[in-house]
Amino acid sequence: MISCWLGRTVRPHTDGIGGIYTAGSQTLRRKSISPDFVEPLIDIEPIENWSVMTDKSGLRRVLLNLIGNSMKFTRGGYVKVSLHRGPSIDPERMAVELVVEDTGCGMSEAFVRDKLFHPFSQEAPLAQGIGLGLAIVRSILKSPGIDGTIDVYTKVNVGTRMTIRLQPPTANDLRSWTRSPSQSLTRLPSFAMCGFHAEHRGSGMLASGIRRGLRHWYGTIVEVDVKEAGLLIVDGDSVDISKLDALGTNRPMILLLCSSPVDSVVFKATQDYSGNNRLCTVVVKPIGPHALSKALSALICGRNSTPSSPLQHSLPVLPPTSQPLPPTAQERPMRPQSNANMSRLRVLVVEDNLVNRKVLTAFLKKRNCYFDEASDGIEGVQRFQESRGAPYHVCLMDLQMPRKDGFEAAREIRQLEAERDVPLFDGTVIQKTKIFALTGLASAEDRKKADEIGFDG
């Protein structure tokens, strides 16, 4: 299997961050960024080719578990995922270092030494989950498809750094993975940065990384006052997005960074700003070389072109306000007709891991499914009870959860659904919701128990 792992930002300096410019107009700034805000960062070493042969799905699961833990136990600062090359003596292999680093609560030396990778071990007994994540991580890293190691550095009330090292064979793939703006962009317009806070470690590192990426691409960059800039890079988490018109006096292009998917407020503000030879592009954090170069190319090439109508200055990243016309056969093949009814599918996702839950809901959202979320078995059963008027067709159920596990929740759902019918797509009825188990460790005993309760898969 040919696979590669791509990050999105550049390595920050290990020394002081330096001064971070913020907008001078106080009417545009929200109150100081919350100390509990967690900035997501991705750091990738800019080399020509990252193509290697490795277990792609296993490595993804490892990262999901490590990032999920970092997000769960970090209440301020940043969570950073890094990808770098390490020292290698085999020319046919690439030494890869994957690092997940956070400014969270950290772990004690005794717990790391005695229990860290043991199943069902948690230093905080009241935390979500049952302590299987790192046991799964170590098991996957020992598998032949990855054959890697993991080192842990942690300190209580300082943070944690997990370093994964592996040496996968290089792939015979001549495609370049270098991320840089369009070759026609030989010079960056004068720019300014708005809303970045030097006192917040994550925000300061994000700003420093963006500057370093621009210097890597353009060599010399010109950073000016916000009123004189032709390009504004704005942190939407600390600027009043509804007042984009008040930013700058030179009709600048705006690159707006947001920590959450685009919502109606962001969409309306950017729509209002765009047009009349003004451009605004939205990029969802974390942002790295790929996203930054793509956004800069869209902004600057759009400004330099000569559109026949202001409508051509549409937002390149934002979704359209209405359904697009169906593509022609020459443009792209039509979707299978079997997916046409997916928009009528009602799904309940019961999963205590926030990262896994977001992955599942993103999959469902892309297919226009209606879905509800629950973070444990008790909440899942409550959601099911509240859906009497419009029952769920499918339930994706995690087996290991706090308060009430997936087995007990499924058993209660089976008892509840006997009292009502569930409409199918064609108007007929069925007597039960399809329940599918989500688990990383499924023993023969668990499978037998799931069959007895009534799981469908």
Side-chain angles (χ1 to χ4, degrees), residues 68-85:
N69 282 345
S70 291
M71 295 298 296
K72 181 164 59 174
F73 295 108
T74 301
R75 293 294 178 266
Y78 63 85
V79 172
K80 183 175 71 172
V81 182
S82 306
L83 173 65
H84 305 294
R85 283 187 304 182

Side-chain angles (χ1 to χ4, degrees), residues 74-237:
T74 301
R75 293 294 178 266
Y78 63 85
V79 172
K80 183 175 71 172
V81 182
S82 306
L83 173 65
H84 305 294
R85 283 187 304 182
S88 178
I89 58 175
D90 188 345
E92 296 184 354
R93 292 179 176 270
M94 180 185 295
V96 177
E97 291 187 359
L98 271 168
V99 182
V100 178
E101 179 182 349
D102 63 63
T103 55
C105 61
M107 295 174 285
S108 67
E109 182 179 347
F111 178 80
V112 173
R113 183 182 62 248
D114 300 331
K115 297 183 178 180
L116 182 60
F117 294 106
H118 292 193
F120 307 104
S121 296
Q122 285 185 298
E123 187 169 29
L126 299 181
Q128 288 187 344
I130 60 172
L132 281 175
L134 291 180
I136 294 173
V137 165
R138 188 173 65 169
S139 175
I140 294 174
L141 289 177
K142 287 183 176 180
S143 66
I146 296 181
D147 191 22
T149 63
I150 182 168
D151 294 329
V152 180
Y153 173 81
T154 183
K155 189 173 182 179
V156 177
N157 296 327
V158 174
T160 301
R161 182 190 301 120
M162 300 271 189
T163 303
I164 299 169
R165 294 185 174 89
L166 55 150
Q167 295 198 21
T170 56
N172 296 323
D173 189 345
L174 300 179
R175 293 176 298 173
S176 171
W177 291 106
T178 301
R179 295 304 187 234
S180 58
S182 172
Q183 294 182 356
S184 62
L185 304 179
T186 57
R187 182 175 176 273
L188 182 72
S190 59
F191 75 99
M193 302 187 74
C194 256
F196 296 88
H197 296 262
E199 68 273 12
H200 187 278
R201 295 178 63 185
S203 181
M205 291 175 68
L206 175 61
S208 181
I210 291 174
R211 288 191 181 94
R212 196 160 299 107
L214 297 177
R215 292 192 187 98
H216 175 74
W217 293 326
Y218 298 103
T220 302
I221 58 176
V222 180
E223 187 168 359
V224 298
D225 186 88
V226 64
K227 296 180 180 179
E228 302 171 359
L231 168 67
L232 287 182
I233 302 177
V234 181
D235 188 347
D237 295 314

Side-chain angles (χ1 to χ4, degrees), residues 346 386-392 423:
R346 296 177 59 85
E386 295 167 357
S387 67
R388 284 189 175 274
Y392 299 107

Side-chain angles (χ1 to χ4, degrees), residues 2-19:
I2 296 179
S3 174
C4 68
W5 194 92
L6 298 178
R8 279 193 168 182
T9 193
V10 293
R11 178 179 295 190
H13 286 309
T14 55
D15 52 8
I17 293 173

